Amino acid sequence: MDAARPYTIVVRVDGTPEGCAAAEYACSLCVKLKVSYRLIFLYVVALYRRTALNLINRQTDQLNADIRENAENSMMKCKQFLSRFESLVSYEWISIKDEGNIGPIMVQFIADGLHTPVDLVVVGRTVDTGIKKIVGGHVSDYIIANLKCPVMVVKNEYDLSDDEGGGS
């Protein structure tokens, strides 16, 4: 690592308990680092691909509209969760949207779109949903297999019940 360059950590956040655990782990790590760091929270919106068939595209467009709406709500919850760390660490928020599965979108962005070397990627152990679950598998497995930097998989779940007022 170049001493002049900050230690760069990219964290996949997604509003799930696993994503929150990954964010909390990364923030805890940054607090302990004795070097300058760049902490990036990355939210990936994975849309269904359009086809050459208009009939199917109408369904795809509706599904993608639902995905976008759910993503907006989830991003708001993520940002609310991350606000608790603002006094402890500095971070950047990046959201990207593309067609395909989360893993390939994220790997492509880190490799080509981020324009900075990444020292560590932190992800929760989550699975794509719906049809993407059948063909996509674990996002973390894809990222481990396809990134050329260390990947930390956080398996512990963060208990969101306290955040939602549902805790005991």
Side-chain angles (χ1 to χ4, degrees), residues 1-7 36 119:
M1 185 178 111
D2 178 5
R5 184 179 62 79
Y7 189 82
S36 65
D119 298 294

Side-chain angles (χ1 to χ4, degrees), residues 48-67:
Y48 290 101
R49 293 185 197 282
R50 291 180 54 84
T51 69
L53 302 172
N54 286 334
L55 180 63
I56 293 175
N57 281 338
R58 281 187 283 232
Q59 181 69 27
T60 300
D61 291 344
Q62 181 57 50
L63 290 169
N64 284 341
D66 292 343
I67 290 170

Side-chain angles (χ1 to χ4, degrees), residues 85-103:
F85 302 110
E86 288 176 350
S87 64
L88 300 173
V89 296
S90 61
Y91 62 84
E92 301 168 42
W93 173 271
I94 298 174
S95 63
I96 57 173
K97 179 177 21 179
D98 201 352
E99 293 179 343
N101 291 324
I102 292 169

